[in-house]
Amino acid sequence: MDKYRRKILKNSAIFGVAGGLASVSTILGLQGCDSNSTKNSDTKDTAKNANSADSKLITKGEMMNTNPQVWYITGASGGLGLELAKYLISKGDKVAATSRKMGNITAKLGVESESFLPLELRFDGDLNAQIAQNLNAVQQKFGRLDNVVNNAGYGLLGFVEETSEKQLREQFEVNVFAPFLVAQNALKILRPQSLAEGGNAENIKARIFNLSSIAGFRVSNNSTPYCMSKFAISALSEGLLLDVGEYGIHTINVMPAGFRTEFLGASMVKSDLEISAYDARRKAFEQRSAQYSGKQAGDPQKFAQILYQVSRDPKPPFSLFMGDAAFKSAENKIAWVQSDIAATQAYAGAAADFADAGNSAFDKR
């Protein structure tokens, strides 16, 4: 095993599952966002106080922002989604934000106002219809849409052999199919709007932020199901960039390392099965996670500030790693891939092609 492979495996063990998810007490907990913990009960007093604070933020922000943008954020009642929504409101932007329960989000961000639209996204029944209805409500209220943030999700942790098909399908329903449907429905607004405003590859008029993870770039120990879903999100992001970039709609694939939310505490959903051969490694992972929880390096408020900055950047990045740990881990993965390319290209590159193959259709990509 060369040094790059050792770094990948070491970092996977240390960082665990990256990305800053929030409280998940049921199978549908939401990434960086939706808390189901009983300690966060939606009392009337909390809602009143939150709404009062929200009004102050909006008033202050509107004075500073003469060109507010409109955002649709999934999973915004806790974690990264909540911090982003709060920061955007403070800057004077207009925010539509979802939670599985209306009370969860109004308790944190207040009731509907001129600049804020709370919405439910329950992840049951007809999910596509719920998403379409939400986005129609955004357009009806604000008249436009500038930024979409696919943030909702949860983490299924476990070894491949211990993960049930049912759990894996549930993971992909929330972490992959839902963001796909959000993007698909949002494009019905964004594409004609952007073209009408002269949008093209050099004149970006709208952005889709997909919350992948460093776990969508390299796989973490004991986290294969979650990592699979985040790799799928990274693929969705790149596909969207190719699909609609020329229409002035840019996609940003956001890949955070560990942020100081509740992911490594109440929000980890474990695989159903336990096989004795994995007991020692599972226990070691759980101990490391418990020690790391609450000490993650990433600052959710800085996460929000960075996304706001990128929303104003005329030439935004596609790959947006977040946190020093994410950059280091990505560099290790890139070095690992490069070392395999160097070691295998001589016998598995052109040597694997027909002699008359000519240039491949994939050369440019």
Side-chain angles (χ1 to χ4, degrees):
M1 185 182 295
D2 62 35
K3 62 180 181 179
Y4 301 120
R5 296 173 195 266
R6 285 194 295 271
K7 284 183 179 179
I8 288 289
L9 294 176
K10 179 181 178 182
N11 287 344
S12 294
I14 291 173
F15 299 142
V17 177
L21 310 185
S23 179
V24 181
S25 59
T26 65
I27 195 65
L28 295 179
L30 302 182
Q31 172 173 338
C33 54
D34 218 4
S35 174
N36 291 319
S37 173
T38 55
K39 67 183 179 181
N40 293 323
S41 61
D42 300 330
T43 64
K44 292 182 179 180
D45 288 341
T46 303
K48 181 179 179 180
N49 292 337
N51 192 41
S52 176
D54 182 49
S55 298
K56 293 177 182 178
L57 289 175
I58 292 172
T59 302
K60 180 181 178 182
E62 286 175 341
M63 292 175 63
M64 297 185 295
N65 192 347
T66 58
N67 187 29
Q69 294 186 8
V70 176
W71 297 70
Y72 177 71
I73 307 169
T74 63
S77 64
L80 297 179
L82 176 61
E83 290 299 331
L84 177 60
K86 286 165 59 178
Y87 184 76
L88 295 173
I89 290 170
S90 77
K91 298 295 287 185
D93 278 359
K94 301 178 186 297
V95 175
T98 78
S99 174
R100 286 186 299 111
K101 294 181 179 179
M102 184 67 75
N104 287 347
I105 198 161
T106 55
K108 307 290 182 61
L109 291 169
V111 297
E112 182 176 348
S113 67
E114 183 179 346
S115 296
F116 177 60
L117 177 63
L119 297 163
E120 280 192 345
L121 184 57
R122 297 184 305 276
F123 292 95
D124 59 15
D126 191 336
L127 183 58
N128 188 56
Q130 290 181 54
I131 292 167
Q133 184 177 5
N134 277 352
L135 287 164
N136 181 63
V138 174
Q139 190 172 35
Q140 289 296 315
K141 181 175 180 63
F142 297 124
R144 63 179 296 108
L145 178 62
D146 299 292
N147 300 289
V148 172
V149 183
N150 264 318
N151 174 65
Y154 73 97
L156 171 61
L157 310 184
F159 297 99
V160 170
E161 198 175 358
E162 295 183 330
T163 303
S164 69
E165 178 184 352
K166 179 177 181 291
Q167 282 189 304
L168 185 61
R169 289 185 181 277
E170 289 169 339
Q171 174 81 112
F172 270 69
E173 181 72 17
V174 176
N175 282 20
V176 181
F177 285 98
F180 180 93
L181 293 173
V182 167
Q184 190 176 63
N185 281 279
L187 288 175
K188 296 174 183 178
I189 300 172
L190 297 177
R191 183 170 46 78
Q193 173 187 283
S194 180
L195 290 174
E197 296 174 355
N200 56 51
E202 301 302 320
N203 186 22
I204 296 171
K205 293 296 182 180
R207 293 162 176 78
I208 298 174
F209 295 85
N210 285 331
L211 264 291
S212 178
S213 166
I214 188 59
F217 193 78
R218 64 94 180 98
V219 178
S220 304
N221 181 46
N222 192 36
S223 309
T224 301
Y226 173 69
C227 295
M228 288 170 63
S229 73
K230 289 305 177 181
F231 267 79
I233 288 297
S234 294
L236 171 63
S237 296
E238 191 166 351
L240 283 169
L241 188 71
L242 297 175
D243 283 358
V244 296
E246 66 184 73
Y247 304 137
I249 305 166
H250 189 76
T251 307
I252 299 96
N253 194 47
V254 186
M255 293 173 282
F259 273 69
R260 202 166 295 178
T261 64
E262 299 153 357
F263 175 71
L264 292 177
S267 62
M268 290 194 299
V269 176
K270 300 179 183 178
S271 55
D272 287 334
L273 308 174
E274 288 191 0
I275 298 172
S276 59
Y278 299 101
D279 284 351
R281 291 165 61 192
R282 188 189 315 105
K283 182 178 180 180
F285 175 85
E286 290 173 357
Q287 289 176 341
R288 284 193 299 270
S289 297
Q291 293 168 356
Y292 188 49
S293 182
K295 301 177 182 177
Q296 298 95 320
D299 182 341
Q301 292 184 354
K302 292 179 180 177
F303 167 91
Q305 293 167 11
I306 291 168
L307 257 62
Y308 178 83
Q309 176 183 331
V310 173
S311 74
R312 266 63 182 181
D313 188 345
K315 295 186 180 298
F318 166 71
S319 297
L320 182 59
F321 295 101
M322 284 263 202
D324 186 55
F327 278 86
K328 289 178 178 177
S329 190
E331 288 166 355
N332 290 341
K333 174 65 180 285
I334 291 166
W336 179 16
V337 172
Q338 288 177 330
S339 71
D340 275 350
I341 290 173
T344 61
Q345 192 167 18
Y347 68 82
D353 295 340
F354 284 108
D356 62 349
N359 293 328
S360 167
F362 299 100
D363 281 350
K364 294 181 180 180
R365 284 282 300 153

